[in-house]
Amino acid sequence: MIGGSTIAAELATIQPWADRAPAITLAERQARIERARAAMVDAGADALLVGAGLSLSYFTGIGWGMIERLVAMVLTPRGKPYIVCPAFEQGSLEAILSLDVDLRLWEEHESPSALVAAILREAGATRLAIDPALPFGMAERVRLAAPSASVLDATPIIDGCRAIKSEPELALMRQAKRMTLEVQRRAARVLAPGIRASAVRGFIDAAHKAIGSAGSTFCIVQFGASTAFPHGLPQDDELREGDMVLIDTGCAVEGYNSDITRSYVFGKADDEQRRIWEIEAEAQRAAFDAVRPGVPCAAIDAAARAVLERHGLGPDYRLPGLPHRTGHGIGLSIHEGPYLVRGDETPLQPGMCFSNEPMIVVPGRFGVRLEDHFHVTDHGARWFTEPSRAIDEPFA
């Protein structure tokens, strides 16, 4: 149902999500570290430096944001992982640390880069793979402190691990996406003539909290001509009869993200809105159907674009048509590699997770983006959330 409920009434009926997925275990983090060690061998590295941020959290459970002080893991082929941390943060670190690590502390006047170099010498490591998310200045200081070590890009190691999701990760993502789809369904119920996009965003954030997350990780609400801009305009749209509605939002469960978009019309869709919506749904389905292990990511983008071109849209990024890639990887980051885009020849593997969102933009009028996510299986793709059935039935 679209419209017919008030914000207060809708929020009052939301219950916390009952079927909650379990958190990532210590055993899984230890297995991730062993996978990273195997990937180091393939990459020709004998040490791995991972800075604070999502990748450090992935391997160790240390939820520490990047700051100017180096907090990092140094992983070598054997023994405990080393954790480099400011000495005054030791208590805070130990309060969240579950892994058995070799803790190396540095005082404010000391060089953490020199500490990393000492670990490399101690381990006999001469080929250091550095986290691509580490700020350039930090990486450069480590390189200068360890001039005898060659420096490699750790992207194949880190992304190679993070891109393949385990069953516990899939369960957390499934929960997050289903929670957001339920919030999307309820957001459609509170629409009314004259409602502002800001009011809908406020409802969605409150609904994400009521259903059991920390709130929206992001929220885009667009009405009418604003939907022709993939990420909207700097204005607070007011809803009118016949407007295309585009809502793109997500939440996180134990750090794992959802990112669901629904497009539909408030009121009765005209012939052009219906035609474009149906082409969009066909392109989304074609991308899904093209998924097989071993197929390059670029082929999925090509499958969606082929549908658009058959209907006279595009080609390439021309409008009316699809102005961006068909999809992105997702997990601890909302957008992460690999990507469903021309030029990304990464072979699909079971456990990879992607958005599927081949948006169609009709300049000056409206845009339609249907975004659901799938994970790759041994035989093809499996949806996390069921796609929309029709422009008049946006919620399966």
Side-chain angles (χ1 to χ4, degrees):
M1 182 177 67
I2 298 175
S5 181
T6 67
I7 286 177
E10 199 63 39
L11 285 174
T13 65
I14 299 176
Q15 298 295 319
W17 199 258
D19 185 18
R20 300 194 70 86
I24 299 299
T25 64
L26 173 59
E28 174 146 354
R29 296 200 192 281
Q30 291 169 330
R32 292 172 179 180
I33 286 174
E34 293 310 312
R35 286 200 301 274
R37 283 179 163 142
M40 286 163 54
V41 173
D42 293 340
D46 52 18
L48 170 67
L49 178 65
V50 180
L54 293 176
S55 292
L56 184 64
S57 176
Y58 174 83
F59 288 112
T60 69
I62 298 172
W64 212 294
M66 179 62 67
I67 56 174
E68 78 280 7
R69 297 181 177 95
L70 182 65
V71 176
M73 175 182 75
V74 180
L75 186 64
T76 55
R78 291 167 296 280
K80 302 175 185 179
Y82 298 88
I83 298 295
V84 175
C85 178
F88 76 91
E89 298 281 25
Q90 181 177 358
S92 298
L93 178 65
E94 290 177 339
I96 61 173
L97 192 59
S98 58
L99 281 173
D100 186 15
V101 302
D102 188 336
L103 190 57
R104 300 296 177 96
L105 304 173
W106 56 278
E107 301 289 359
E108 287 280 71
H109 67 285
E110 295 177 323
S111 166
S113 302
L115 186 54
V116 172
I119 293 171
L120 297 180
R121 288 193 300 272
E122 181 181 324
T126 59
R127 300 180 303 278
L128 174 64
I130 296 182
D131 182 354
L134 196 70
F136 174 81
M138 285 185 177
E140 182 67 1
R141 286 190 288 274
V142 169
R143 187 187 67 81
L144 293 173
S148 62
S150 58
V151 172
L152 310 173
D153 178 8
T155 298
I157 302 169
I158 295 173
D159 286 4
C161 290
R162 286 182 54 182
I164 309 299
K165 274 62 176 184
S166 65
E167 285 301 325
E169 289 179 288
L170 294 176
L172 290 165
M173 293 173 67
R174 187 174 298 111
Q175 179 188 330
K177 295 172 197 304
R178 290 178 177 177
M179 288 166 65
T180 289
L181 185 58
E182 178 61 19
V183 169
Q184 281 268 17
R185 181 181 292 110
R186 290 174 178 272
R189 293 175 183 167
V190 305
L191 297 181
I195 196 170
R196 292 283 184 180
S198 57
V200 181
R201 286 195 299 271
F203 167 81
I204 289 171
D205 186 53
H208 268 134
K209 290 175 181 175
I211 209 167
S213 78
S216 303
T217 49
F218 72 99
C219 187
I220 299 169
V221 177
Q222 301 162 244
F223 304 145
S226 289
T227 63
F229 298 83
H231 292 144
L233 295 171
Q235 62 190 38
D236 193 8
D237 292 332
E238 181 177 338
L239 184 62
R240 294 179 174 82
E241 189 78 16
D243 275 350
M244 183 67 71
V245 175
L246 189 156
I247 298 178
D248 183 356
T249 188
C251 69
V253 174
E254 298 289 333
Y256 287 86
N257 286 280
S258 60
D259 177 10
I260 304 292
T261 308
R262 287 292 178 265
S263 294
Y264 45 88
V265 173
F266 182 69
K268 185 178 180 181
D270 65 31
D271 290 345
E272 182 67 357
Q273 290 169 329
R274 188 175 300 276
R275 183 181 79 88
I276 294 297
W277 194 100
E278 290 173 354
I279 296 171
E280 166 75 358
E282 184 182 345
Q284 188 191 43
R285 171 55 67 175
F288 180 86
D289 289 344
V291 173
R292 294 288 185 281
V295 171
C297 287
I300 311 308
D301 182 72
R305 292 183 188 280
V307 170
L308 271 58
E309 290 180 27
R310 283 201 304 271
H311 289 278
L313 302 174
D316 298 322
Y317 301 105
R318 298 178 196 170
L319 303 181
L322 170 54
H324 54 63
R325 64 196 175 208
T326 292
H328 56 80
I330 189 167
L332 289 173
S333 300
I334 298 174
H335 291 185
E336 60 183 40
Y339 297 92
L340 305 180
V341 66
R342 182 189 306 162
D344 192 329
E345 297 300 319
T346 306
L348 296 176
Q349 298 181 57
M352 287 182 171
C353 301
F354 296 95
S355 73
N356 183 350
E357 48 177 321
M359 180 180 191
I360 300 175
V361 168
V362 181
R365 284 213 60 202
F366 61 87
V368 177
R369 181 163 69 247
L370 302 176
E371 181 182 10
D372 294 275
H373 293 233
F374 64 83
H375 60 95
V376 182
T377 72
D378 290 336
H379 307 290
R382 181 173 300 163
W383 292 115
F384 283 105
T385 51
E386 286 297 316
S388 298
R389 289 196 183 109
I391 194 169
D392 305 317
E393 295 182 84
F395 303 102

